[in-house]
Amino acid sequence: MNYVEEINKLKKEKNAIILAHYYQKGEVQDVADYLGDSYNLSVIAKNSDAKIIVFCGVTFMGETAKILSPEKKVLMPHKVLPCKMANDITAKDLLEYKKKNPDRIIISYVNTNADIKALSDCCVTSSNALKILEHYKDKKILYCPDKNLATYAKNKYGYDIDLWNGNCNIHDELTVDDVNKLKAEHPNALVLIHPEARFDVASLADYAGSTKGIIDYVNKSDKDEFIIGTECGIIHELEKKNPNKKFYLLNKCLVCKFMKLISLEDVYNCLKDEKFEIKVDEEIRSKAQKALDKMLELS
Ligand code: 13P
Ligand code: SF4
């Protein structure tokens, strides 16, 4: 079966669009109507007129699309695609924290489940976190669950931020030695790192930013070589848009295994059978939407 042809037919028949995160397999990125980072994809989901959205990413991303677009059918090619970081915080623990710290503004990363967003004052993604934290700079803040991004903002700008003990395991594994080793091998390369890396590692970057931020940086740069400190899926788009530039992945650990589970066959079955549909409890959804709308307002 030619999955690409069949997927394109089904998309037209059903008034559906496919959104894919840059960490997806290349073949899935190529069949998507829109590629993006977690921020861009949430905006596209909100503004689209399509009846069906097929979200190729991890579960919190599909859930975010559903929270912002409750009238649309949001489908994902697998029933559950967990994000390690999103599972580093539970509503029970956050509620306990809030009771003990009623004066702290709760800023949650979009890499969280809907119940955490519902308990938050504002959400952020890696592409707008620093801007939004600046908005709250005179407040006492809890930034959850990504300890590394929070440490970056706290150390760089001196904000009053409480840290949560969560992280992304693959970005957290990057080390200063990885950077020094690759810089020695490729002395002319610029270093671009996702801020989910540890502070000492992200501080060595020529640019630290979201996946879309890294792609925009490369597209605009007149340099030819780049060391990439984020998930390997991003290389597909970087090479497509910049065939004459060279990219070196900072460490071979940079593979998000749940992002890589989705195949073209899964996308086809998802559209054909209209499953797996994302459902979010309405009370949680409407509260979570407020935190996401606040993010869109401040972005
Ligand atoms: P972006 O905000 O750059 O899309 O990152 C999402 C993510 O899961 C990074 O690990
Ligand atoms: Fe989550 Fe890390 Fe995968 Fe991003 S790369 S989806 S933070 S586990």
Side-chain angles (χ1 to χ4, degrees), residues 23 58 60 83-85 111 168-171 196 256 259:
Y23 296 171
V58 285
F60 79 79
C83 161
K84 186 267 179 194
M85 181 176 333
N111 297 42
C168 164
N169 50 328
I170 66 158
H171 288 92
E196 287 173 15
C256 178
M259 282 279 188

Side-chain angles (χ1 to χ4, degrees), residues 21 23 36-39 60-61 109 111 125-127 168 171 194 196 210-212 259:
H21 192 272
Y23 296 171
D37 66 0
S38 53
Y39 175 71
F60 79 79
M61 295 180 175
Y109 206 30
N111 297 42
T125 77
S126 53
S127 67
C168 164
H171 288 92
H194 199 286
E196 287 173 15
S210 74
T211 47
K212 173 82 166 60
M259 282 279 188

Side-chain angles (χ1 to χ4, degrees), residues 111-131:
N111 297 42
T112 46
N113 299 317
D115 54 355
I116 300 299
K117 292 183 176 76
L119 292 170
S120 304
D121 295 291
C122 185
C123 291
V124 299
T125 77
S126 53
S127 67
N128 55 31
L130 295 180
K131 187 170 176 199

